[in-house]
Amino acid sequence: MYSVPQLGILASGKGSNLVAIADAIAAGELNAQIAVVIYNNPDAPVRERCQERGIPHVLLNHREFASRELLDDRLAHTLEQYQVDLVVMAGWMRIVTQVLIDRFPHRILNIHPSLLPSFPGHRAVQQALEYGVKITGCTVHIVTLEVDRGPILAQVPVPVLPGDTVETLHQRIQQAEHKIYPKTIGAYLQRLRQLNE
Ligand code: GAR
């Protein structure tokens, strides 16, 4: 592994977790470097977040690939080109295949806006609100083939408040995400380093 671990971030949307990770690196709280951000939606705001910060970014539009496997093969190739040590999904809304997992075994993390195993998959915040839970939160886990099922590394509970909407609740969950994700990435990188020593 590089002396400064190289992160490859996969993002589909707003990019607030990317910003939190970049800020933690800039503040010296996370010893890593963002080698590349790969995004799949041409208009995703995350592109502007990269431009503002001078972070290398590559568009891989899933609509241009005939299968999930072909997208993942190009993804893995791009991550390898940038010599990425750890893949960090930050709002990556694509289902992962064995192709990517085989190329980065135990080296892909994801953050999900619920306390897994509750409310996996899409619209996790809406699912939690509709179910009527009083506490939800976010989870960082290692990515495996089964969606949102990999080993859990960290969780933060977030209370559901009276009158919460999907937007207000998701906003509070994201505040928790922005703290826990950089910390968990740092701890996991240390674990990987120890395994390599
Ligand atoms: C985050 O809240 C993340 O937990 C969620 O997407 C959001 C991305 O926000 N991920 C999932 O729902 C994955 N199933 P961001 O683009 O502002 O980082």
Side-chain angles (χ1 to χ4, degrees):
M1 193 186 279
Y2 274 64
S3 51
V4 177
Q6 302 294 303
L7 305 180
I9 298 197
L10 309 185
S12 299
K14 215 165 56 157
S16 70
N17 278 287
L18 162 72
V19 169
I21 293 164
D23 287 351
I25 292 172
E29 293 160 8
L30 171 60
N31 177 34
Q33 198 174 333
I34 300 174
V36 65
V37 171
I38 301 177
Y39 64 107
N40 64 314
N41 290 320
D43 300 327
V46 69
R47 178 171 50 101
E48 281 161 55
R49 303 291 83 78
C50 292
Q51 284 166 345
E52 289 160 3
R53 288 172 172 73
I55 298 171
H57 49 289
V58 174
L59 170 66
L60 292 184
N61 187 339
H62 62 279
R63 299 161 193 88
E64 294 168 7
F65 292 83
S67 68
R68 291 187 195 282
E69 284 76 11
L70 284 172
L71 169 67
D72 276 4
D73 183 57
R74 180 71 73 78
L75 257 177
H77 181 72
T78 309
L79 293 164
E80 284 159 2
Q81 276 183 326
Y82 281 88
Q83 301 188 299
V84 161
D85 298 303
L86 183 68
V87 182
V88 174
M89 293 182 172
W92 180 248
M93 298 303 182
R94 306 300 306 163
I95 291 175
V96 169
T97 70
Q98 197 69 48
V99 172
L100 185 61
I101 290 173
D102 282 350
R103 304 264 279 276
F104 288 88
H106 312 294
R107 283 169 187 259
I108 311 173
L109 303 187
N110 182 43
I111 191 153
H112 184 77
S114 75
L115 294 177
L116 290 172
S118 294
F119 313 123
H122 283 306
R123 294 188 293 277
V125 180
Q126 188 178 335
Q127 288 183 56
L129 261 186
E130 285 174 359
Y131 201 92
V133 293
K134 302 300 174 210
I135 295 174
T136 182
C138 55
T139 302
V140 181
H141 67 96
I142 302 170
V143 172
T144 56
L145 203 51
E146 228 185 324
V147 176
D148 298 328
R149 281 285 173 179
I152 290 173
L153 297 176
Q155 291 189 303
V156 180
V158 174
V160 180
L161 301 180
D164 254 342
T165 62
V166 172
E167 289 69 32
T168 58
L169 180 55
H170 197 181
Q171 206 174 13
R172 286 204 316 287
I173 292 173
Q174 286 217 307
Q175 286 169 5
E177 290 184 344
H178 300 160
K179 289 190 192 131
I180 197 71
Y181 213 7
K183 266 193 200 157
T184 309
I185 292 166
Y188 195 67
L189 285 170
Q190 274 207 331
R191 227 168 99 176
L192 288 177
R193 188 184 291 252
Q194 281 159 3
L195 283 177
N196 282 339
E197 277 169 4

